[in-house]
Amino acid sequence: MPSYEELGELLDTASTVLLTVECQQGVVGPDSALPELAREVRSSGALRNVARLVAAAHETGVQVIHALAERRPDGRGANRNARLFRAAERLPVQQLTGTTAVRVAPPIEVTEEDLVVRRLHGLSPIHGTEVDALLRNLGCRTLIVTGVSANVAVPNAVFDAVNRGYTAVVPADAIAGVPADYTPAMIRNTLALVATITSTDEVLGCFKRPRRRP
């Protein structure tokens, strides 16, 4: 992990954006389409840590973007070119546009200043969505990636952020995947090669510390 000073330099509140990935009721809520993942994100404390990071971002002026995945009831425009997509079509809970399944899940709070980006296709919260353009317009240099899952969407977000020139920061205790031991393996063997790995408490400490005047 980076030193506190190094992390503090990366997490300049004026050029940092916090991204929550698929933290929606139909994925991480009590009535999730993916109950194993929902149990893991809650029991591990990852969802609570995402909520803590969002709350701190609201207090310190760090921009928050919530990236949600959904589909039209008729499935128009959705992918069917991978087993994951075809399996999702058969799940008892569907991530349908306009339903509670695609609302940000408690205890995460959404404010008027937050940006919510919804995608109808693909695996990535960034590629093929509005997120990259929004980040550039916001003057983002560092993107904090949180949420689910460590299996698919989170790594996609990290890779896409790095490929587009952003510095990715991943609080290891604010992401989750299944099985439980997969997430630390993914972090250690993959994400640590391309992102700055840290913790929720360390990010919160950087958000709250006084900024030095130039």
Side-chain angles (χ1 to χ4, degrees), residues 1-212:
M1 289 188 178
S3 71
Y4 186 68
E5 288 300 319
E6 290 171 333
L7 187 62
E9 291 299 319
L10 288 178
L11 297 180
D12 181 344
T13 55
S15 58
T16 296
V17 173
L18 173 64
L19 179 71
T20 76
V21 178
E22 296 183 24
C23 292
Q24 56 203 72
Q25 294 194 37
V27 175
V28 301
D31 299 320
S32 170
L34 304 165
E36 183 183 4
L37 177 60
R39 285 192 297 270
E40 177 58 27
V41 73
R42 289 173 176 275
S43 65
S44 68
L47 185 62
R48 181 176 65 254
N49 285 332
V50 175
R52 292 172 65 207
L53 289 164
V54 169
H58 291 158
E59 292 175 2
T60 55
V62 170
Q63 180 65 54
V64 178
I65 298 179
H66 303 283
L68 307 179
E70 60 183 47
R71 58 184 283 122
R72 289 166 48 110
D74 61 8
R76 191 177 299 272
N79 291 66
R80 297 199 76 257
N81 58 335
R83 187 175 69 175
L84 176 66
F85 300 123
R86 296 190 294 273
E89 293 177 354
R90 300 191 295 271
L91 292 173
V93 177
Q94 295 289 306
Q95 314 299 318
L96 299 181
T97 300
T99 66
T100 57
V102 294
R103 294 179 185 170
V104 176
I108 299 170
E109 294 187 0
V110 182
T111 67
E112 292 182 357
E113 291 76 22
D114 293 359
L115 298 170
V116 179
V117 177
R118 303 174 183 275
R119 76 177 193 275
L120 291 172
H121 63 87
L123 299 170
S124 174
I126 297 178
H127 178 71
T129 74
E130 295 179 287
V131 170
D132 182 38
L134 294 174
L135 294 176
R136 295 192 184 283
N137 289 344
L138 291 164
C140 176
R141 296 180 60 190
T142 300
L143 183 66
I144 305 172
V145 180
T146 66
V148 296
S149 72
N151 304 76
V152 179
V154 167
N156 265 269
V158 171
F159 295 150
D160 285 345
V162 173
N163 284 333
R164 284 160 175 76
Y166 305 106
T167 296
V169 171
V170 178
D173 54 356
I175 67 171
V178 290
D181 59 359
Y182 180 77
T183 301
M186 163 61 77
I187 292 170
R188 182 174 60 254
N189 296 305
T190 303
L191 298 185
L193 302 178
V194 294
T196 297
I197 307 301
T198 184
S199 69
T200 295
D201 285 343
E202 288 179 327
V203 172
L204 295 179
C206 290
F207 279 0
K208 294 175 182 177
R209 76 175 187 173
R211 294 289 158 186
R212 291 177 300 180

